[in-house]
Amino acid sequence: MRKSASRKRTQPAVEPVADLISPAQSSAGTPLEIPFRDNIDSGFIADHSELAYDSISQADVTFAANPNFSQQDRILYHPPLEASILPKEPLRQALIDSYLDNLFQYYAVVDHEDIFGPCPSTLLLQTVCLAGGLMRQSDGLNGYKISQTAYGKAKTLITLNSERDPLTLLKAICILSVWSPDPPTFISLDGPWHWTGIATRLAFQMGLHKEVTYHNKSDAKCRRRIWWHLFVSDKLQGACWGRPEAIGNGDFDVRELNLDDFEKRDTTAQLIVTTLQLHIILSDITKASAQHSTAEGISNIIAKLQTWLQNLPEDLRLFDHSGRRRPYCRPVREMFIIYFAGIILLQSKSKIKERSQRAYIPSVVASLCIVRLYEEIYCRQEIDRLLHIHGFFIMVASIPIIYCHPHKNGSQKEDLALLCAVLKQMRTKYGGAGMVLRKITWLQADAEKDSRRIQPPAQAEDMNALEFSQIDMRKLFDFPATIYPHMELLGHLSDSVQQPSWDLRDQNILPWSFEDTSFFTDMYAMDIDAFNLNYGGPGSFNEGSLVPYVVNGN
């Protein structure tokens, strides 16, 4: 347990539920808009990011924040006494339980004593209530008002420097990064990029990047969990938006997490440790992209992914040893979404020499597996439990589905409809989900309208490019065929594997030409940047054109 802060805490005040839900009079639904001008500033997203959009100088749009929160709602300052008021006990406990049940595995930055001790930090409890509110089943905008109000109060307490314990302050700021109402194109101090950056610099200031600072600390376990949480957040944000990372791989010497770093050595602790190992590999993929890794480097990453898959604890697998699907567990499904997204990113971030059908089969199969995992979550009505980073994972999965789906005129539309249904549910509280929904819709319409807009690769051979046909990626799909009906596509990665009953040259199966290699398409070198992705802008986006996802009993 951590030592108490030097000052004595007082019992936090509580407020009625009605006051928490209705913090201010506002014109709900009025978006905070910034009129277009030539020198408008917009959040930077690198060209190589899957979320890339057209240059600002060419974007004739209105840059808008999430329209679910009015301009008056964004005046988040509360008087000091009001900022210290917490929800009444029944609601507060429900929000705490929601955080512990649904979010702790991603924000394991607190100990039991921090919340249930005799004098818990008011700031920390405000942030826990914020996070717990976001994980509750959606009941309209009023449900998010709970989190919005808690966020405003927490921000006020930080501004007033009310929390004197640096570690408690760090924990609260880490949890604040769950708040992400606006898209990344909207420059704001209210979002994960801002709060993760502040938390990282505070952690550096406290020396959490050096193992020696953990010695003889009674709260060393929690400190280590905080550091690795910041590492994962930093790497994910760098991969998502293409912005510079704050934590370099040579900037710290903190050992990796193990089960001893948790108050309970349970399945949740094992899940956190195992997912961290996967995120470290994901950071290797991002680094390999920046350094234009060789085939040997890519093979080493594939070997790491394979080792990770083989060493999974039994409770964290999708299937048991007999090939039967294990009972549903959302955090495990989310972990495998990250795994399959890593496979796609491994190809999308690498130069690929071969333009044949075999080069992209791993990405296609991985994207279809991601769709099935999201479908499981969707059918159990747990989309509200997903974090904002899932908008990025959905964007990663959608590109192979749009351009290389094995059934262009059939299940492709159903798969995209499922991903869009997830995004439409997420966008109420996460502005970035709306931006991704716009891009998927435009890419889908563009692919259907005129495939020639997809730019073919340069004819000159790049000696640094990779021949993925020489790298066996089948080992990354050590799953029963039941995880997706077309796992047999992987058989085409090896000439020695017997051909399936259907012919890949059928344009209804895979949209590649086998007769003339000059027409091979690199789906990751296509010209897809010239799209306006700014949330709330006018233009050709027509949500009515989306195919609705329908759950049926067939």
Side-chain angles (χ1 to χ4, degrees), residues 254-509:
V254 182
R255 69 161 174 80
E256 289 186 29
L257 292 179
N258 58 47
L259 295 182
D260 292 331
D261 293 315
F262 296 84
E263 295 179 295
K264 295 181 180 179
R265 296 169 58 94
D266 55 9
T267 302
T268 298
Q270 184 66 73
L271 177 71
I272 295 171
V273 171
T274 304
T275 305
L276 171 62
Q277 296 167 354
L278 180 59
H279 279 297
I280 292 175
I281 299 174
L282 195 63
S283 71
D284 290 340
I285 294 175
T286 304
K287 183 171 63 176
S289 165
Q291 298 176 354
H292 303 301
S293 183
T294 63
E296 180 181 2
I298 296 298
S299 295
N300 289 338
I301 294 177
I302 291 176
K304 291 180 180 179
L305 286 170
Q306 182 187 21
T307 300
W308 179 87
L309 186 64
Q310 292 175 340
N311 294 337
L312 277 177
E314 185 67 22
D315 290 344
L316 302 185
R317 294 178 178 272
L318 291 176
F319 299 87
D320 61 22
H321 291 298
S322 64
R324 292 177 299 184
R325 185 177 285 272
R326 295 186 58 81
Y328 170 82
C329 175
R330 176 182 49 81
V332 173
R333 267 53 179 181
E334 291 187 62
M335 181 179 68
F336 274 96
I337 287 173
I338 299 171
Y339 172 78
F340 288 121
I343 294 175
I344 300 172
L345 289 171
L346 185 62
Q347 290 201 278
S348 71
K349 300 298 184 182
S350 305
K351 295 180 179 180
I352 302 177
K353 176 189 290 186
E354 184 188 15
R355 306 300 178 185
S356 71
Q357 80 283 6
R358 292 186 301 175
Y360 302 117
I361 287 177
S363 289
V364 174
V365 175
S367 66
L368 296 174
C369 290
I370 289 175
V371 171
R372 297 286 80 79
L373 294 171
Y374 276 121
E375 187 172 33
E376 288 190 73
I377 298 173
Y378 184 88
C379 290
R380 287 170 173 81
Q381 297 183 337
E382 288 201 299
I383 299 302
D384 284 318
R385 307 271 161 73
L386 299 180
L387 290 169
H388 46 76
I389 191 62
H390 279 276
F392 171 65
F393 295 141
I394 291 175
M395 187 70 252
V396 170
S398 69
I399 296 178
I401 292 175
I402 291 174
Y403 291 98
C404 302
H405 197 286
H407 294 291
K408 297 288 284 186
N409 298 320
S411 59
Q412 180 209 39
K413 294 184 181 297
E414 297 177 6
D415 291 337
L416 286 175
L418 183 279
L419 295 181
C420 290
V422 173
L423 290 169
K424 283 191 284 186
Q425 192 166 333
M426 290 176 58
R427 69 178 174 180
T428 306
K429 54 184 175 180
Y430 302 133
M435 189 185 77
V436 174
L437 181 63
R438 292 172 66 88
K439 180 166 186 177
I440 290 177
T441 305
W442 272 324
L443 290 181
Q444 183 181 12
D446 186 72
E448 294 176 352
K449 179 179 64 175
D450 186 3
S451 61
R452 294 185 180 182
R453 284 192 58 185
I454 306 175
Q455 300 298 316
Q459 297 301 313
E461 183 177 277
D462 185 349
M463 299 305 295
N464 295 320
L466 305 177
E467 294 188 18
F468 264 82
S469 62
Q470 304 303 315
I471 301 177
D472 188 3
M473 297 187 71
R474 288 176 300 161
K475 61 185 70 173
L476 300 181
F477 296 89
D478 187 17
F479 306 99
T482 54
I483 190 175
Y484 180 70
H486 294 291
M487 290 287 284
E488 58 190 4
L489 283 170
L490 295 169
H492 292 269
L493 294 177
S494 172
D495 292 333
S496 62
V497 178
Q498 183 178 359
Q499 297 290 321
S501 58
W502 40 262
D503 190 347
L504 278 175
R505 287 174 294 183
D506 183 353
Q507 290 297 311
N508 291 324
I509 300 298

Side-chain angles (χ1 to χ4, degrees), residues 34-249:
I34 303 175
F36 175 78
R37 59 181 187 273
D38 291 339
N39 61 345
I40 188 78
D41 285 327
S42 176
F44 174 80
I45 299 179
D47 290 341
H48 60 267
S49 167
E50 276 71 16
L51 300 182
Y53 60 96
D54 197 8
S55 63
I56 299 173
S57 62
Q58 299 176 9
D60 185 14
V61 299
T62 297
F63 290 82
N66 193 322
N68 294 324
F69 304 110
S70 70
Q71 185 167 4
Q72 188 170 352
D73 286 337
R74 291 175 180 277
I75 303 176
L76 297 174
Y77 179 79
H78 293 262
L81 292 179
E82 182 182 337
S84 298
I85 297 176
L86 291 163
K88 283 186 175 180
E89 175 60 28
L91 177 59
R92 181 166 77 247
Q93 190 57 53
L95 296 173
I96 291 173
D97 290 345
S98 177
Y99 163 78
L100 294 175
D101 293 342
N102 302 305
L103 203 58
F104 181 79
Q105 59 265 31
Y106 310 111
Y107 287 80
V109 298
V110 299
D111 285 329
H112 184 274
E113 185 73 9
D114 295 326
I115 299 175
F116 299 104
C119 293
S121 164
T122 301
L123 170 62
L124 187 59
L125 288 182
Q126 291 286 20
T127 60
V128 169
C129 289
L130 151 71
L134 282 177
M135 294 296 104
R136 286 152 59 93
Q137 291 287 341
S138 174
D139 57 352
L141 291 180
N142 282 339
Y144 301 129
K145 289 287 187 182
I146 295 176
S147 293
Q148 184 186 21
T149 301
Y151 174 81
K153 292 182 177 182
K155 187 175 180 181
T156 298
L157 292 173
I158 291 175
T159 303
L160 296 175
N161 198 27
S162 67
E163 180 55 66
R164 301 300 178 85
D165 179 11
L167 186 60
T168 302
L169 176 62
L170 178 59
K171 295 174 182 179
I173 295 176
C174 286
I175 298 176
L176 274 183
S177 66
V178 75
W179 182 251
S180 183
D182 299 318
T185 50
F186 183 79
I187 296 178
S188 171
L189 299 184
D190 299 301
W193 176 258
H194 173 71
W195 292 116
T196 301
I198 290 180
T200 301
R201 293 184 69 86
L202 181 57
F204 276 129
Q205 190 177 9
M206 297 171 61
L208 265 61
H209 60 301
K210 291 298 181 181
E211 181 67 29
V212 66
T213 64
Y214 295 82
H215 296 169
N216 301 321
K217 287 286 197 312
S218 60
D219 51 13
K221 296 179 180 180
C222 189
R223 290 171 180 258
R224 186 170 283 108
R225 298 200 307 269
I226 291 173
W227 173 257
W228 283 107
H229 165 79
L230 291 173
F231 172 88
V232 170
S233 298
D234 180 61
K235 300 305 177 183
L236 279 178
Q237 291 178 9
C240 180
W241 300 318
R243 298 171 185 172
E245 298 173 352
I247 302 176
N249 290 336

